[in-house]
Amino acid sequence: WWKGLLETLLSAVLSFRWLRYDREKLRSLGGHEYCVWWPPSSPRSAKLCWVLVPGGMSSGRDFYITSLGLSPAIARDESWVVFHNPGQGGTRCESISAHGLTRTDCLSHFLRHIREQFDSIVVVGFSAGGMPAMSLAQEEQPIADAFVSVCSPDRIRLVFEDQASWWLRVDVFFALWFHLCMRTGGLFELVPFKNFPWPPTWEGYMKPFSVKSFELATGQHRSFEELESEHFDGSLRMPPKAPCLRIWCVDDPIVTARTLEHGRLGHCEVWWEKSGGHCGQFYWSPDCAQRLREWVLRACKK
């Protein structure tokens, strides 16, 4: 665990690059505004486009986005873009909606928006960003040609409950970061809840805030466990409609292997990397990016 944590922190420092992006705001059919970031060098029409999805509390500024975007996995004549759900990447939530971490409405809208511009599209979701990727892969019309998740959770509740059981309460850090993200993304102003994240834990803040948000959106009170299957479960519950690859690290200090739905891993190809910690595989495993490229090219030919 400590090895994975050290590799994660070193990756965050050593592989981070401050890149310039052209930001484009779009609005889904449901009226939700979201934002995508295009690197200036990224062609808007090509044979292959990589759609990178950051975690639920991050953006295209995270180290793992640039570690893949600048890696050998993506050829110079190919395109890549960073997709952000509403409340991330420069937009603010304008209303409360019944959407959790597995929401696909805006992602599918964007994929349809660019579908005619590229011969093939692959969606790569990092951490919680892999949850909508896996969810979309199970829909009847997944739109993209292949889907990849990197260190992504299955049931997010199990991840935070696991963190809350450690003496090093990682869920406290995420609760505080969650609060800041809700303020930045506009949802804090729409959900009448605690003014301060106290206690700053999964059970004390993140979980009840999410339940309250859904109650306001639907007019019905449901426990997080009742909401989980539809809105907060990123596992593959059935064989996907498009090729899927899931990448994890055996020493991931954030999404530990014991929190995963191992009985469902047979629905797709799975790689267990020996190094990289949480989402640092493309820095610590030089051949991981090349293997990913080879997998994507094979998947897109099917």
Side-chain angles (χ1 to χ4, degrees):
W1 187 89
W2 286 105
K3 171 179 174 291
L5 179 61
L6 179 61
E7 290 176 345
T8 302
L9 296 175
L10 287 174
S11 299
V13 174
L14 299 177
S15 67
F16 174 79
R17 299 291 184 275
W18 186 271
L19 300 182
R20 187 168 70 87
Y21 293 101
D22 295 328
R23 304 190 183 194
E24 179 183 5
K25 292 183 178 180
L26 300 165
R27 195 169 291 273
S28 70
L29 296 178
H32 302 288
E33 187 179 51
Y34 63 94
C35 191
V36 295
W37 296 5
W38 296 90
S41 60
S42 200
R44 298 300 179 92
S45 179
K47 289 185 177 181
L48 178 60
C49 180
W50 299 67
V51 178
L52 312 187
V53 185
M57 293 188 280
S58 57
S59 71
R61 292 297 177 202
D62 260 338
F63 72 93
Y64 47 73
I65 294 293
T66 52
S67 70
L68 177 58
L70 301 178
S71 75
I74 303 177
R76 290 179 177 271
D77 60 345
E78 294 172 353
S79 178
W80 65 276
V81 59
V82 187
F83 167 86
H84 302 88
N85 266 314
Q88 293 178 268
T91 62
R92 289 174 62 84
C93 296
E94 300 168 335
S95 61
I96 303 173
S97 61
H99 290 104
L101 290 173
T102 57
R103 70 178 299 174
T104 61
D105 57 321
C106 294
L107 178 57
S108 60
H109 179 267
F110 176 63
L111 294 177
R112 290 190 180 95
H113 178 70
I114 65 171
R115 180 67 269 190
E116 298 301 319
Q117 301 166 220
F118 302 98
D119 296 341
S120 300
I121 299 175
V122 57
V123 178
V124 183
F126 293 85
S127 194
M131 298 174 74
M134 294 298 102
S135 182
L136 185 56
Q138 297 173 82
E139 296 184 3
E140 283 298 324
Q141 296 181 328
I143 309 170
D145 300 280
F147 295 84
V148 180
S149 73
V150 182
C151 299
S152 68
D154 284 339
R155 289 191 284 169
I156 192 71
R157 174 177 60 86
L158 298 183
V159 173
F160 288 127
E161 287 178 350
D162 186 47
Q163 294 173 0
S165 69
W166 308 341
W167 69 266
L168 182 62
R169 290 293 297 269
V170 180
D171 67 313
V172 172
F173 166 79
F174 282 115
L176 295 172
W177 189 247
F178 176 86
H179 176 70
L180 293 176
C181 291
M182 294 304 101
R183 281 187 172 275
T184 303
L187 196 57
F188 177 82
E189 299 172 6
L190 301 173
V191 179
F193 197 60
K194 301 176 182 178
N195 290 328
F196 300 99
W198 190 261
T201 62
W202 161 247
E203 289 284 348
Y205 190 72
M206 285 188 284
K207 184 178 180 180
F209 184 98
S210 302
V211 169
K212 183 66 174 179
S213 178
F214 270 83
E215 181 179 346
L216 293 172
T218 64
Q220 177 185 9
H221 177 80
R222 299 169 66 192
S223 68
F224 191 91
E225 287 76 7
E226 291 174 309
L227 297 168
E228 184 174 55
S229 178
E230 183 179 357
H231 300 287
F232 297 97
D233 186 349
S235 65
L236 288 174
R237 287 168 283 180
M238 63 184 74
K241 303 298 181 181
C244 282
L245 168 64
R246 306 197 69 182
I247 302 174
W248 280 292
C249 177
V250 293
D251 296 323
D252 192 324
I254 306 300
V255 181
T256 59
R258 60 178 169 269
T259 65
L260 302 176
E261 299 286 347
H262 289 268
R264 297 176 178 177
L265 299 185
H267 292 318
C268 68
E269 186 169 344
V270 176
W271 294 356
W272 287 100
E273 300 297 312
K274 295 181 179 179
S275 58
H278 188 65
C279 296
Q281 282 62 50
F282 303 113
Y283 176 79
W284 288 95
S285 302
D287 69 324
C288 189
Q290 185 59 43
R291 284 187 282 118
L292 175 60
R293 175 170 183 79
E294 293 170 359
W295 183 91
V296 167
L297 293 179
R298 290 196 305 270
C300 290
K301 288 181 179 180
K302 294 183 179 179

